[in-house]
Amino acid sequence: MKIAFFDAKPYDLPAFGRYAKEYGAEIKFYETKLNIDTANLAEGYDAVCVFVNDDVNSAVIDKLYSLGVKLIALRSAGYNNVDVKHAFKKIHVVHVPSYSPYAVAEHAMALLLTSVRRTHKAYIRTKDFNFSLNGLTGFDLHGKTVGVIGTGKIGGIFMNICRGFGMNVVAYDKFPSGDAHYVSLDELFVKSDVISLHCPLNEDTYHLIDKAAIEKMKKGVIIVNTSRGALIDAEALLAGIKEKKVGAACLDVYEEESDVFFHDFSGHIMSDDVLARLISMPNVIVTSHQAFLTEEALSNIAETTLKNISSFFNNDGICENELCYRCGNVERCQKDRKDRCF
Ligand code: NAI
């Protein structure tokens, strides 16, 4: 199994190196992202391994197909950056449905706590021997209402964490199935002091939080997004913050993150005005898509990715984590997991 691994980072190498040996795979690590300009690098490889900001659009898929690549192995849960529909009947796509939902849910709570208790500001102050408390007043999460959008693996754990804090939890999910007090999306917007996003990015959820949604929210609402950037219309969020309608935003993801996140731009002029303005706000915390980044998650990602690839190549193309488009709905796939998509 020869794998071309795109957008490789130093923290990927130890776990992938370990599991590559175990599964007998040969991996070529490329620092560059996969896109139409770099797709040629996959020539001679059986599979490509991609992450959230690799752009696997229809043109890239056609190119990979022409090069004889058999498998696109996402090392992430979300797959909005891969045109799975276009890949159908050409190249199989597998992903890592769950590697540590705790990592992401805990990061969402870490951002929320940082925001409401101003620990990011206190840290900088005391480093400078400034022990003043002025401007650090926060509020109790206990008794506040949190609205959770998407109650799958991560949303479910986040709801439990919030319950542990004594928060009232309301939830919205297009396919409600968890143990939650489900309400309509509008009711969630109206009732919530904190709104946390845990649904996938797709046609339904693109700009789920836009100007109209923000208008329905409570004044001072805190918005937490550890899911995908384009769930939020970033310009509408910025306007909401400037108008003081939105009390704070905790963002691990950003709509236009792909050219910025994971890189060191210190010392450079930031060309994205919306991101620069958001970061300049005292009530906005941005982390660069790091919610997944724990030892446990990295190890699970590497193990499941290699297992997926091994299963595909050694088990007649059958992989339980295949993203199947056969019935036209990847989300609600009815495929027998002992079968291949095509
Ligand atoms: P999941 O598949 O277990 O749960 C997603 C939930 O969203 C499901 O309950 C589903 O019914 C619901 N949903 C689907 N369409 C919806 C809609 N239109 N409106 C409301 N809810 C809808 O996924 P999981 O593992 O909980 O991950 C959630 C998201 O977290 C992923 O899609 C991914 O974008 C993001 N993520 C972010 C990471 C990070 O490092 N920041 C790491 C891993 C995942």
Side-chain angles (χ1 to χ4, degrees):
M1 298 180 298
K2 290 183 73 187
I3 304 160
F5 189 108
F6 287 87
D7 203 10
K9 296 285 182 287
Y11 53 75
D12 289 318
L13 306 191
F16 271 94
R18 204 165 59 237
Y19 285 107
K21 265 197 202 131
E22 193 172 309
Y23 284 91
E26 185 187 324
I27 304 183
K28 172 77 180 173
F29 292 99
Y30 291 116
E31 281 181 27
T32 183
K33 285 199 265 285
L34 176 60
N35 55 43
I36 194 60
D37 298 325
T38 61
N40 267 328
L41 294 170
E43 185 163 13
Y45 290 90
D46 306 305
V48 293
C49 182
V50 300
F51 197 47
V52 293
N53 289 324
D54 292 296
D55 185 7
V56 196
N57 58 30
S58 55
V60 171
I61 287 167
D62 288 342
K63 183 76 204 169
L64 296 174
Y65 184 56
S66 74
L67 294 173
V69 172
K70 303 276 181 309
L71 183 70
I72 297 165
L74 278 147
R75 52 183 191 278
S76 62
Y79 49 86
N80 52 284
N81 54 324
V82 177
D83 190 338
V84 180
K85 180 178 176 184
H86 192 80
F88 182 54
K89 297 214 166 152
K90 294 189 182 86
I91 304 184
H92 295 261
V93 185
V94 295
H95 74 146
V96 182
S98 176
Y99 39 87
S100 176
Y102 302 100
V104 184
E106 288 172 14
H107 191 77
M109 182 47 93
L111 289 177
L112 178 58
L113 280 173
T114 304
S115 175
V116 298
R117 299 313 304 270
R118 322 275 193 259
T119 40
H120 55 312
K121 294 186 180 297
Y123 175 81
I124 292 167
R125 276 192 198 183
T126 55
K127 281 275 173 204
D128 204 25
F129 303 107
N130 173 356
F131 301 106
S132 157
L133 294 183
N134 295 340
L136 297 186
T137 309
F139 61 81
D140 294 4
L141 287 179
H142 185 269
K144 298 292 184 304
T145 297
V146 59
V148 176
I149 301 180
T151 59
K153 291 178 284 297
I154 297 169
I157 292 164
F158 185 73
M159 289 195 294
N160 278 339
I161 293 173
C162 291
R163 289 181 187 118
F165 275 80
M167 301 183 81
N168 307 313
V169 180
V170 294
Y172 171 78
D173 194 301
K174 192 172 177 191
F175 311 100
S177 64
D179 169 25
H181 173 42
Y182 287 102
V183 295
S184 69
L185 198 51
D186 276 357
E187 194 177 341
L188 183 145
F189 289 151
V190 170
K191 284 192 165 157
S192 302
D193 302 295
V194 175
I195 294 174
S196 194
L197 305 178
H198 300 287
C199 57
L201 174 63
N202 55 37
E203 282 167 9
D204 288 343
T205 59
Y206 177 78
H207 284 186
L208 185 81
I209 307 294
D210 58 6
K211 184 172 186 284
I214 290 171
E215 273 166 11
K216 290 173 195 154
M217 294 176 192
K218 276 189 183 178
K219 185 170 163 52
V221 63
I222 298 182
I223 299 175
V224 183
N225 189 6
T226 55
S227 209
R228 284 293 180 266
L231 295 176
I232 299 182
D233 176 347
E235 292 192 17
L237 176 66
L238 180 58
I241 289 166
K242 281 160 114 176
E243 288 157 14
K244 301 193 175 64
K245 175 76 190 255
V246 175
C250 305
L251 309 174
D252 185 52
V253 285
Y254 170 66
E255 206 175 348
E256 302 296 335
E257 70 179 47
S258 64
D259 292 332
V260 182
F261 282 14
F262 308 140
H263 299 286
D264 181 358
F265 283 109
S266 54
H268 292 250
I269 307 293
M270 178 55 60
S271 56
D272 185 326
D273 287 350
V274 176
L275 180 61
R277 192 80 173 97
L278 280 170
I279 288 174
S280 78
M281 295 288 178
N283 51 354
V284 174
I285 298 173
V286 173
T287 52
S288 46
H289 210 133
Q290 77 173 71
F292 73 99
L293 197 63
T294 65
E295 292 289 348
E296 292 81 357
L298 289 174
S299 182
N300 290 340
I301 287 170
E303 184 176 18
T304 306
T305 303
L306 266 308
K307 218 188 238 174
N308 283 345
I309 297 171
S310 169
S311 168
F312 180 81
F313 285 108
N314 298 316
N315 191 21
D316 196 25
I318 296 167
C319 174
E320 61 172 352
N321 292 327
E322 179 168 22
L323 291 166
C324 182
Y325 195 77
R326 193 162 61 197
C327 62
N329 187 341
V330 188
E331 297 270 320
R332 302 281 107 189
C333 175
Q334 303 296 317
K335 174 171 74 81
D336 175 353
R337 293 289 156 183
K338 306 245 174 317
D339 193 7
R340 39 200 289 175
C341 172
F342 56 88

